[in-house]
Amino acid sequence: MIMGKTMFLPGFSHHLRGRAAPSAAAKIKRRTKQLDGLAALVARFIPVEVFAAGEGRRDRIYTPWVTFIAFLGQVLSRGSACREAVRRVQAWCVAGQRPVPDENTSAYCQARARLSLETLRAAHEELGGWIERHAKETWRWCGRAVKVIDGCGVSMPDTAENRAKWPYAGGQKPGCGFPTAQLVGLFCLATGRLVRFALESWKAHEIPLARQLIGWMEPGEIVLADRGFCGWGLIALLQRKGVDVVMRAHQARKLKGRRMTWARPPRAETWTPSLWAELPAEIVMRIVRFRVEVRGFRTQEVVLVTTLLDDKTYPDEALAALYRRRWAAELYFRDIKTTLGLDVLRCQTPELVRKEVWLQAIAYNLVRALMLEAAWTHGVELERLSFKGTVDSLRQWTPLFAPSMFAFKRAREELLRVIAADPVPLRPNRSEPRARKRRPKPYQMLTRPRHEMVVSASRALK
């Protein structure tokens, strides 16, 4: 049979042949335009294709992208419950003329459980890559990038699953405390970006957690840390990778002069024999001393140890000024814990707790990306911008990014202008006591599990 050159029969339109099925990435891009302004803003920093890998064949309402945006909205609004996230998705569906999900939160919670940690890590890396690409001209110390490392504690709901992974902190009675975890974060000092973090039980020391973050440190960088990280093994491991350190000396170490050679001590339990044998037999450390004099406070002497041995290229005064900037890590953790709510997690299982921490990191870096863009767009110092003010502006301005509202470019430009127009006051050497003026309610402390106290109280009333 001889085939003609005509592809379709006469009288039949070529539109009847149909079209190829859209890919998962194309579907998720189309759904991005149907969500609210937060989804449109996040898609500018994180490619939506990251969430296409989790798409299945079922046409779900709670797709990985929808679940991620709803979960992120919860993190950006401290105290936001799953009920509020479901109501938000219902509003999206009504606006997009899609089937409205049930009021029950079960489907949304199951969708959060299906959201993989690999997807969240990929989203975090994409957002971090955007910040790094747009921060080439940011502050550097003596021409070198500086990263700061610090740790903090977080608590979570008192469930059997969480207790099995993260036990109570010391001194807490069964049924009267909360599972506690230790988190160590690595921050970029120039932009405030959370590069990576390690999460383990509160019993884990900070130095083994810091070793997990060495893969995200580049040769030629400088790491700032307090005395809790001043261990021979960590310093030697960083030096072997080409990373210099500036740390406050541990109070138990006796230091003399301006140069000291530290011999390799006996292997600690947290180090494997093979890794410990690869470290050098000794390291040479430079010792820097300076005095801190603040009016109204006792004068203190601070002792630093560093692998920067050239005192002409890196004078003592410059090192003292650099270590003073280490306090920025405390402010970064304050932004994550106090403003975003990392101090008290809300998920009931260890897997969801880890996902919540990753969402906290993504939300934090999202705010930092907006602050960075506002700083170099309007020519203001990044350190003068308020993290809390940026979060407040983001919450109120995201509705304008919805497709049915104003033009996205115009709304984004106005948001950046508002962020840059509200700098925090410049208050060097400011010191505030860690004290609360408002007194807590005079309730008794929970000394036994709650159900036992309820039973004893009801018996007393009889």
Side-chain angles (χ1 to χ4, degrees):
M1 180 178 179
I2 300 176
M3 300 294 295
K5 296 182 179 180
T6 304
M7 187 174 181
F8 301 98
L9 295 176
F12 288 87
S13 172
H14 66 280
H15 294 290
L16 296 178
R17 67 178 179 142
R19 63 181 61 181
S23 63
K27 289 181 179 179
I28 203 169
K29 280 187 176 180
R30 185 174 68 250
R31 291 169 183 169
T32 301
K33 300 179 180 179
Q34 300 175 355
L35 300 184
D36 65 356
L38 181 60
L41 181 64
V42 173
R44 185 173 178 271
F45 301 101
I46 304 176
V48 295
E49 291 83 1
V50 172
F51 299 89
E55 290 283 331
R57 295 185 178 181
R58 293 181 57 184
D59 188 14
R60 301 179 184 270
I61 294 178
Y62 293 103
T63 61
W65 173 250
V66 172
T67 307
F68 170 75
I69 295 298
F71 203 169
L72 184 64
Q74 280 188 273
V75 173
L76 288 172
S77 300
R78 178 164 183 165
S80 177
C82 292
R83 182 191 301 108
E84 183 177 353
V86 171
R87 300 297 179 268
R88 187 174 187 174
V89 175
Q90 288 177 325
W92 294 344
C93 294
V94 171
Q97 298 181 355
R98 294 173 57 87
V100 181
D102 188 74
E103 288 77 10
N104 198 304
T105 60
S106 175
Y108 170 65
C109 294
Q110 294 178 31
R112 290 200 309 179
R114 291 194 301 269
L115 197 62
S116 66
L117 283 172
E118 291 74 15
T119 301
L120 296 181
R121 292 192 188 100
H124 182 269
E125 291 298 322
E126 290 289 345
L127 180 55
W130 188 96
I131 297 177
E132 188 174 0
R133 289 191 300 272
H134 291 78
K136 297 297 184 181
E137 303 300 327
T138 54
W139 172 87
R140 286 176 176 263
W141 185 78
C142 295
R144 302 178 64 174
V146 181
K147 289 179 179 176
V148 57
I149 189 169
D150 202 4
C152 70
V154 297
S155 65
M156 61 202 68
D158 187 17
T159 63
E161 295 87 349
N162 288 341
R163 286 195 303 270
K165 180 65 177 179
W166 297 292
Y168 287 165
Q172 295 182 354
K173 297 181 179 180
C176 303
F178 295 96
T180 305
Q182 173 86 347
L183 186 144
V184 172
L186 179 68
F187 296 90
C188 173
L189 189 60
T191 62
R193 173 174 69 100
L194 178 57
V195 180
R196 201 71 173 188
F197 65 88
L199 182 69
E200 291 295 342
S201 168
W202 68 272
K203 297 181 179 180
H205 195 273
E206 291 179 334
I207 291 182
L209 297 184
R211 291 207 307 264
Q212 301 179 23
L213 307 177
I214 292 181
W216 285 267
M217 303 175 190
E218 299 295 334
E221 292 181 339
I222 298 175
V223 172
L224 277 176
D226 62 9
R227 63 181 61 179
F229 296 91
C230 186
W232 188 95
L234 180 61
I235 296 175
L237 191 61
L238 289 172
Q239 193 177 37
R240 190 185 69 164
K241 190 174 182 179
V243 177
D244 287 300
V245 302
V246 177
M247 299 179 177
R248 189 171 182 178
H250 195 274
Q251 63 273 14
R253 184 177 288 275
K254 298 180 180 180
L255 303 175
K256 297 180 180 180
R258 292 183 55 85
R259 296 285 178 92
M260 287 191 68
T261 300
W262 292 356
R264 181 171 56 190
R267 181 178 61 87
E269 295 181 357
T270 58
W271 292 80
T272 60
S274 58
L275 180 58
W276 192 257
E278 294 177 0
L279 299 181
E282 59 182 26
I283 57 176
V284 179
M285 302 296 296
R286 173 184 169 191
I287 303 170
V288 177
R289 293 179 172 86
F290 64 94
R291 299 179 70 82
V292 178
E293 297 181 0
V294 180
R295 185 177 180 181
F297 291 84
R298 182 185 306 171
T299 301
Q300 293 182 343
E301 183 183 60
V302 178
V303 182
L304 302 180
V305 293
T306 178
T307 55
L308 300 171
L309 305 181
D310 189 351
D311 53 0
K312 294 183 178 180
T313 305
Y314 312 104
D316 293 356
E317 296 78 9
L319 288 171
L322 175 63
Y323 186 77
R324 183 179 179 181
R325 296 177 66 100
R326 191 211 65 83
W327 187 254
E330 306 289 344
L331 303 181
Y332 299 154
F333 271 126
R334 182 196 64 180
D335 294 334
I336 303 177
K337 296 177 65 176
T338 303
T339 304
L340 297 181
L342 180 67
D343 54 342
V344 180
L345 302 173
R346 291 170 291 175
C347 289
Q348 307 290 320
T349 62
E351 183 181 4
L352 284 175
V353 164
R354 292 190 178 276
K355 294 178 183 179
E356 185 177 358
V357 176
W358 277 104
L359 260 296
Q360 295 275 0
I362 294 173
Y364 170 80
N365 282 345
L366 174 64
V367 178
R368 285 289 169 184
L370 289 174
M371 295 171 63
L372 176 64
E373 191 173 13
W376 54 256
T377 299
H378 295 276
V380 298
E381 295 182 15
L382 180 60
E383 293 183 348
R384 296 291 302 278
L385 299 184
S386 170
F387 185 90
K388 180 64 166 59
T390 304
V391 173
D392 295 340
S393 302
L394 177 62
R395 289 172 183 161
Q396 303 305 321
W397 281 74
T398 46
L400 298 182
F401 298 129
S404 60
M405 300 297 290
F406 300 100
F408 178 87
K409 182 178 179 180
R410 177 187 171 189
R412 181 179 60 84
E413 292 175 351
E414 286 298 312
L415 173 62
L416 298 179
R417 183 192 64 81
V418 169
I419 294 174
D422 186 25
V424 297
L426 185 61
R427 295 171 291 191
N429 298 325
R430 179 171 177 257
S431 179
E432 292 288 343
R434 289 192 173 184
R436 295 189 302 175
K437 180 179 180 180
R438 192 176 299 279
R439 270 56 175 173
K441 298 294 182 180
Y443 296 132
Q444 60 177 331
M445 302 299 293
L446 192 68
T447 57
R448 290 177 292 171
R450 187 172 296 277
H451 68 278
E452 295 183 8
M453 295 192 69
V454 170
V455 172
S456 61
S458 60
R459 290 176 179 175
L461 290 176
K462 293 180 179 180

